[in-house]
Amino acid sequence: MCEPRHFDVRYAINPWMDAGAPVDRALARAQWQALVEAYRGHGHTVETVAPVEGLPDMVFAANAALVWGGRVFGSSFHAAERRPESAGYEAWFKEAGYEVHRSGAVCEGEGDLVPAGRFLLAGTGFRTERAAHREVQEFFGRPVISLELTDPRFYHLDTALFLLDEDSGEGDGTGGGNIAYYPAAFSPGSREVLRWLYPRAVIATEEDALVFGLNSVSDGRNVFVAPQARGLIDQLTDRGYLPVPVDLSEFRKAGGGIKCCTQEIRS
Ligand code: ARG
């Protein structure tokens, strides 16, 4: 994770961002700190990357890479404003002993790439390019399922879908675990793909999606989720998950939430 010391909204690269709108940085820092504590309180290890001045979106660590099986597929950001973030993250990975392969095509890491057990779900349409999906498949040697995003408010896959668990027995036995998602964020064909792969998925409403309820992190039991996503929280509880509400409302001004602030190191 990357402390939001320099967090701000200075440019607009998604519909949530209003370059003139003021950001309460003290509130953002307190909310971010509460997320760190929620992770630690539930037994997770949190490491941090040094924030860099002049990079207001660097707090969104999820976008920097995809780490899977101890291998790092580094991002090539879509927006010029975010490209310098790669250097800071790559330095962290090198220091931690990882080799980083940087994507040739535009790719925004876990923002659009979700490892789901035996395969990988990959979003495209606004940021990550289809050419990156092919690269990711070659790099990890795992099947990539391309999903088309069509609503600009849900410009990254992780704003419209998250993995609940890798193998809950809730899926159809394909080994992809189970997910929660907002169907209207996807093209008709991609919606069909998700319906076919995940017949028992948790289906979120537009209200839940608009408060970044799908920008959640699940460890298979605890689900770190926006408290405003009431309907989703009820559904998760009914399914036996333990919702852990963490409010990151200040980051919505930049189009981000819990998952955006979290890079998962899958060693
Ligand atoms: N302002 C950032 C951008 O538009 C927000 C990134 C949110 N991250 C995410 N994983 N969805 O790039």
Side-chain angles (χ1 to χ4, degrees), residues 68 114-121 137 140-145 163 165-167 172-178 197-198:
W68 199 17
V114 177
R118 292 168 58 76
F119 48 81
L120 189 126
L121 302 173
Q137 178 163 295
F140 290 106
R142 295 286 179 276
V144 168
I145 310 232
L163 188 78
D165 44 64
E166 294 208 335
D167 193 16
D172 70 347
T174 53
N178 201 16
L197 281 177
Y198 298 104

Coordinates of all heavy atoms in Angstrom, one line a residue, residues 68 114-121 137 140-145 163 165-167 172-178 197-198:
W68 N 1.5 -12.7 -9.1 CA 0.8 -14.0 -9.1 C 1.8 -15.1 -9.1 O 2.7 -15.1 -10.0 CB -0.2 -14.1 -10.3 CG -1.3 -15.2 -10.1 CD1 -1.7 -15.8 -9.0 CD2 -2.1 -15.7 -11.2 NE1 -2.7 -16.6 -9.3 CE2 -3.0 -16.6 -10.6 CE3 -2.1 -15.5 -12.6 CZ2 -3.9 -17.3 -11.3 CZ3 -3.1 -16.2 -13.3 CH2 -3.9 -17.1 -12.7
V114 N -7.8 -9.9 -12.5 CA -8.2 -10.6 -11.2 C -8.0 -12.1 -11.3 O -8.7 -12.8 -12.0 CB -9.7 -10.3 -11.0 CG1 -10.2 -11.1 -9.7 CG2 -10.0 -8.8 -10.9
P115 N -6.9 -12.6 -10.6 CA -6.7 -14.0 -10.6 C -7.8 -14.7 -9.9 O -8.2 -14.3 -8.8 CB -5.4 -14.1 -9.8 CG -4.8 -12.8 -9.8 CD -5.9 -11.8 -9.9
A116 N -8.4 -15.7 -10.5 CA -9.5 -16.4 -10.0 C -9.3 -17.9 -10.0 O -9.9 -18.6 -10.8 CB -10.8 -16.0 -10.8
G117 N -8.5 -18.4 -9.1 CA -8.2 -19.8 -9.1 C -7.4 -20.3 -10.3 O -6.3 -19.9 -10.5
R118 N -8.1 -21.1 -11.1 CA -7.4 -21.7 -12.2 C -7.2 -20.8 -13.5 O -6.5 -21.1 -14.4 CB -8.1 -23.0 -12.7 CG -7.9 -24.1 -11.6 CD -8.9 -25.2 -11.8 NE -8.6 -25.9 -13.2 CZ -7.6 -26.7 -13.4 NH1 -6.7 -26.9 -12.5 NH2 -7.5 -27.2 -14.6
F119 N -7.9 -19.7 -13.5 CA -7.8 -18.8 -14.6 C -7.7 -17.3 -14.1 O -7.7 -17.1 -12.9 CB -8.9 -19.0 -15.6 CG -10.3 -19.1 -15.0 CD1 -11.0 -17.9 -14.7 CD2 -10.9 -20.3 -14.8 CE1 -12.3 -18.0 -14.2 CE2 -12.2 -20.4 -14.3 CZ -12.9 -19.2 -14.0
L120 N -7.7 -16.4 -15.1 CA -7.6 -15.0 -14.7 C -8.6 -14.2 -15.5 O -8.8 -14.3 -16.7 CB -6.2 -14.6 -15.2 CG -5.7 -13.2 -14.7 CD1 -4.4 -13.3 -14.0 CD2 -5.6 -12.2 -15.8
L121 N -9.4 -13.4 -14.7 CA -10.4 -12.5 -15.3 C -9.7 -11.2 -15.7 O -8.9 -10.7 -14.9 CB -11.5 -12.3 -14.4 CG -12.2 -13.5 -13.9 CD1 -13.2 -13.2 -12.8 CD2 -12.9 -14.2 -15.0
Q137 N -1.4 -13.8 -20.6 CA -1.6 -15.2 -20.7 C -0.2 -15.9 -21.0 O 0.1 -16.9 -20.5 CB -2.6 -15.5 -21.8 CG -2.8 -17.0 -22.1 CD -4.1 -17.3 -22.8 OE1 -5.2 -17.0 -22.3 NE2 -3.9 -17.8 -24.0
F140 N 2.0 -15.7 -17.6 CA 1.7 -16.6 -16.5 C 1.3 -18.0 -17.0 O 1.3 -18.9 -16.1 CB 0.5 -16.0 -15.7 CG 0.8 -14.8 -14.9 CD1 0.4 -13.5 -15.3 CD2 1.6 -14.8 -13.8 CE1 0.7 -12.4 -14.6 CE2 1.9 -13.7 -13.0 CZ 1.5 -12.5 -13.5
G141 N 1.1 -18.2 -18.2 CA 0.7 -19.5 -18.7 C -0.6 -20.0 -18.1 O -0.8 -21.2 -17.8
R142 N -1.5 -19.1 -17.9 CA -2.8 -19.4 -17.4 C -3.9 -18.8 -18.3 O -3.6 -17.8 -18.9 CB -3.1 -18.9 -16.0 CG -2.1 -19.5 -14.9 CD -2.6 -20.9 -14.6 NE -1.7 -21.4 -13.5 CZ -0.5 -22.0 -13.8 NH1 -0.1 -22.1 -15.0 NH2 0.2 -22.5 -12.8
P143 N -5.0 -19.5 -18.5 CA -6.0 -19.0 -19.4 C -6.6 -17.6 -18.9 O -6.9 -17.4 -17.7 CB -7.2 -20.0 -19.4 CG -6.8 -21.0 -18.4 CD -5.4 -20.8 -17.8
V144 N -6.6 -16.7 -19.8 CA -7.2 -15.4 -19.5 C -8.6 -15.2 -20.1 O -8.8 -15.6 -21.3 CB -6.2 -14.3 -20.1 CG1 -6.9 -12.9 -20.1 CG2 -4.9 -14.2 -19.3
I145 N -9.5 -14.8 -19.3 CA -10.9 -14.6 -19.8 C -11.1 -13.1 -20.0 O -11.1 -12.4 -19.0 CB -11.9 -15.2 -18.8 CG1 -11.5 -16.6 -18.5 CG2 -13.3 -15.0 -19.3 CD1 -12.4 -17.7 -18.5
L163 N -13.4 -10.9 -6.5 CA -13.3 -12.3 -6.2 C -13.7 -12.5 -4.7 O -13.0 -11.9 -3.8 CB -11.9 -12.9 -6.5 CG -11.8 -14.4 -6.4 CD1 -12.4 -15.0 -7.6 CD2 -10.4 -14.8 -6.1
D165 N -14.0 -15.8 -3.2 CA -13.0 -16.8 -2.8 C -12.6 -17.7 -4.0 O -13.3 -17.7 -5.1 CB -13.6 -17.7 -1.7 CG -15.0 -18.1 -2.0 OD1 -15.2 -18.8 -2.9 OD2 -15.8 -17.7 -1.2
E166 N -11.5 -18.3 -3.9 CA -10.9 -19.0 -5.1 C -11.6 -20.4 -5.3 O -11.7 -20.8 -6.4 CB -9.4 -19.2 -4.9 CG -8.7 -17.9 -4.9 CD -7.3 -18.1 -5.4 OE1 -6.7 -19.2 -5.3 OE2 -6.8 -17.1 -5.9
D167 N -12.1 -21.0 -4.2 CA -12.7 -22.3 -4.4 C -13.7 -22.5 -3.2 O -13.3 -23.2 -2.3 CB -11.7 -23.4 -4.5 CG -12.3 -24.7 -5.0 OD1 -13.4 -24.6 -5.5 OD2 -11.7 -25.7 -4.9
D172 N -19.3 -23.4 -10.5 CA -19.9 -24.6 -11.1 C -18.8 -25.7 -11.3 O -19.0 -26.6 -12.1 CB -20.4 -24.2 -12.5 CG -19.3 -23.9 -13.5 OD1 -18.2 -23.7 -13.0 OD2 -19.6 -23.8 -14.7
G173 N -17.7 -25.6 -10.5 CA -16.7 -26.7 -10.5 C -15.6 -26.4 -11.5 O -14.7 -27.2 -11.7
T174 N -15.6 -25.3 -12.2 CA -14.5 -25.0 -13.1 C -13.3 -24.5 -12.4 O -12.2 -24.3 -13.0 CB -15.0 -23.8 -14.1 OG1 -15.4 -22.7 -13.3 CG2 -16.1 -24.2 -15.0
G175 N -13.4 -24.3 -11.1 CA -12.2 -24.0 -10.3 C -11.9 -22.5 -10.2 O -10.8 -22.0 -9.9
G176 N -12.9 -21.7 -10.6 CA -12.7 -20.3 -10.6 C -13.3 -19.6 -9.3 O -13.3 -18.4 -9.3
G177 N -13.7 -20.4 -8.4 CA -14.2 -19.8 -7.1 C -15.5 -19.1 -7.3 O -16.3 -19.5 -8.2
N178 N -15.8 -18.0 -6.6 CA -17.0 -17.2 -6.8 C -16.7 -15.7 -6.7 O -15.7 -15.3 -6.1 CB -18.0 -17.6 -5.7 CG -19.4 -17.2 -6.2 OD1 -19.7 -17.0 -7.4 ND2 -20.4 -17.2 -5.3
L197 N -20.0 -18.8 -16.1 CA -18.9 -19.2 -15.2 C -19.3 -19.2 -13.8 O -18.8 -20.0 -13.0 CB -17.7 -18.3 -15.4 CG -16.7 -18.5 -16.6 CD1 -15.7 -17.4 -16.5 CD2 -16.1 -19.8 -16.5
Y198 N -20.2 -18.3 -13.4 CA -20.5 -18.1 -12.0 C -22.0 -18.1 -11.8 O -22.6 -17.0 -11.5 CB -19.9 -16.8 -11.5 CG -18.4 -16.8 -11.5 CD1 -17.7 -16.0 -12.5 CD2 -17.6 -17.5 -10.6 CE1 -16.3 -16.0 -12.6 CE2 -16.2 -17.4 -10.7 CZ -15.6 -16.7 -11.7 OH -14.2 -16.7 -11.7

